[in-house]
Amino acid sequence: APIVTPRLVSSPANVVAIAAGLGTSYFVTAAGAPYACGRNEYAQLGLGARSGMPTVTPQIMSQVSGKVFTAVSAGTNHFLLLLNNGRVYSAGRNQWGQTGIGNNIDNQPSSFYPNEIYISSVSPQPVIINIAAGNEFSVVVDTMNRLIGWGHNDRYQFGVPAVGLWESTQVDKKVMLVGTSSVKPSVVAAGYFHTLVVTAQNEVYASGTGNSGELGLGTRTNVTGYQRVTTPAFLSTESRVFPAAGSGFSALVRGILAPSGSSDYGPPTTAIVTTSTGTTSTGTTSTGTTSTGTTSTGTTSTGTTSTGTSSTGTTSTGTTSTGTTSTGTTSK
């Protein structure tokens, strides 16, 4: 039977970052240790082996014991971890190269546990500050404001042309968007077939499938490259804006994220939610973000935003449907 009221989860102590995929849950503790539970038929829990039986309590990913992770993002059947030095680790299903291990071979032992991703298209290796795992693809942002992606690009979710809208195109760690003085990618969210990018100036760009109005462009059409989304004027004056993307919907959350260990989440945040007609509506909520405050390579990592929120001024829950993840882990 479904659980219709929140219950306390028997999770590891001092959890500072969380993410949810298709039947999976991920946790990162204040000490940087990653845990996971749920479905594991594609080794998407990163525990070193596949299993037809779900893991019902969070288990530590022992193969990366001793490493300090600051953020986690969950796709449908894979996940990304951000190390405190700006490197990215991944595990899980890999039929479209979404784990970034350099091929698209599925169910291979090397994708059963978190492995460091080598981004061959960028030299020297970039320092990643933001990660997002989508349905069958992954996108990250580095300290030079470059958007880098890998995995499935059949619906233009990377903002670069595919072979065709319904044809399969695999991308391996390609720079999708390069920051300029006026457009600097800062935070990214990956949905089922679309991507949202928020710049340092709090401008929002979207690419991919727009059948349900999830791109926020005022239409229900697909776009093949990043287009700027018209957002309420007050967002331009906010200190931070965080995107979230699911299956057929998107949201933006404004507000101040609390540092690690603090119970003060700052002022109420406002959610800007795209609807099936492609319009936006607002509503306030006093929670809906989780933050960390771990310092990484001279920058402070903030935590994951896993949100869906409300419209017409009241709070409602809203997570990912059809198993995709709403994400957005970031550093500042």
Side-chain angles (χ1 to χ4, degrees), residues 140-160:
V140 299
V141 177
D142 72 358
T143 53
M144 297 181 67
N145 301 111
R146 293 175 294 194
L147 182 70
I148 304 166
W150 55 90
H152 212 179
N153 187 43
D154 59 330
R155 311 294 176 88
Y156 309 103
Q157 50 265 56
F158 287 137
V160 295

Side-chain angles (χ1 to χ4, degrees), residues 9 23 39 45 119 149 202 216 224 243 312-313 322 328-329:
V9 177
R39 296 174 55 181
L45 299 185
I119 302 176
N202 287 343
T224 61
T312 64
T322 328
T329 57

Side-chain angles (χ1 to χ4, degrees), residues 4-328:
V4 296
T5 57
R7 297 184 184 179
L8 183 64
V9 177
S10 179
S11 62
N14 299 319
V15 171
V16 296
I18 57 174
L22 177 59
T24 54
S25 299
Y26 302 90
F27 314 84
V28 175
T29 68
Y35 289 74
C37 61
R39 296 174 55 181
N40 198 37
E41 65 269 40
Y42 300 110
Q44 61 264 53
L45 299 185
L47 302 177
R50 293 183 295 164
S51 174
M53 295 297 294
T55 299
V56 297
T57 57
Q59 302 294 314
I60 191 169
M61 302 178 197
S62 58
Q63 287 83 356
V64 288
S65 178
K67 297 184 183 298
V68 179
F69 295 96
T70 61
V72 60
S73 180
T76 301
N77 289 307
H78 77 293
F79 68 91
L80 303 177
L81 287 166
L82 182 61
L83 197 62
N84 62 347
N85 65 357
R87 297 298 176 88
V88 178
Y89 283 64
S90 181
R93 194 165 193 189
N94 191 51
Q95 81 275 36
W96 293 108
Q98 59 262 51
T99 64
I101 59 177
N103 58 57
N104 63 346
I105 302 173
D106 206 5
N107 296 323
Q108 55 184 317
S110 58
S111 63
F112 290 178
Y113 57 89
N115 276 281
E116 183 177 350
I117 297 171
Y118 179 69
I119 302 176
S120 57
S121 60
V122 179
S123 181
Q125 283 294 284
V127 176
I128 304 302
I129 57 174
N130 183 252
I131 57 175
N135 174 35
E136 295 170 335
F137 66 101
S138 302
V139 283
V140 299
V141 177
D142 72 358
T143 53
M144 297 181 67
N145 301 111
R146 293 175 294 194
L147 182 70
I148 304 166
W150 55 90
H152 212 179
N153 187 43
D154 59 330
R155 311 294 176 88
Y156 309 103
Q157 50 265 56
F158 287 137
V160 295
V163 173
L165 183 58
W166 305 110
E167 296 180 17
S168 301
T169 299
Q170 180 188 335
V171 174
D172 184 24
K173 294 181 284 295
K174 182 176 180 179
V175 177
M176 308 300 173
L177 196 61
V178 179
T180 65
S181 58
S182 58
V183 178
K184 295 182 178 181
S186 176
V187 189
V188 63
Y192 205 78
F193 290 127
H194 74 293
T195 302
L196 297 180
V197 178
V198 176
T199 70
Q201 298 83 4
N202 287 343
E203 296 172 346
V204 181
Y205 290 81
S207 183
T209 294
N211 295 341
S212 300
E214 59 263 57
L215 301 182
L217 298 173
T219 68
R220 299 177 65 178
T221 59
N222 308 315
V223 300
T224 61
Y226 285 102
Q227 294 187 20
R228 186 175 175 182
V229 179
T230 301
T231 55
F234 65 77
L235 287 182
S236 63
T237 62
E238 291 297 319
S239 58
R240 299 303 299 266
V241 174
F242 299 91
S247 178
F249 74 95
S250 299
L252 301 173
V253 177
R254 70 182 179 96
I256 300 172
L257 296 185
S260 178
S262 172
S263 60
D264 178 12
Y265 285 81
T269 57
T270 297
I272 315 300
V273 184
T274 63
T275 69
S276 60
T277 59
T279 58
T280 62
S281 56
T282 65
T284 59
T285 173
S286 59
T287 59
T289 55
T290 303
S291 63
T292 75
T294 310
T295 299
S296 142
T297 323
T299 60
T300 300
S301 298
T302 61
T304 64
T305 55
S306 173
T307 73
T309 22
S310 66
S311 61
T312 64
T314 56
T315 305
S316 63
T317 60
T319 48
T320 332
S321 60
T322 328
T324 54
T325 322
S326 78
T327 121

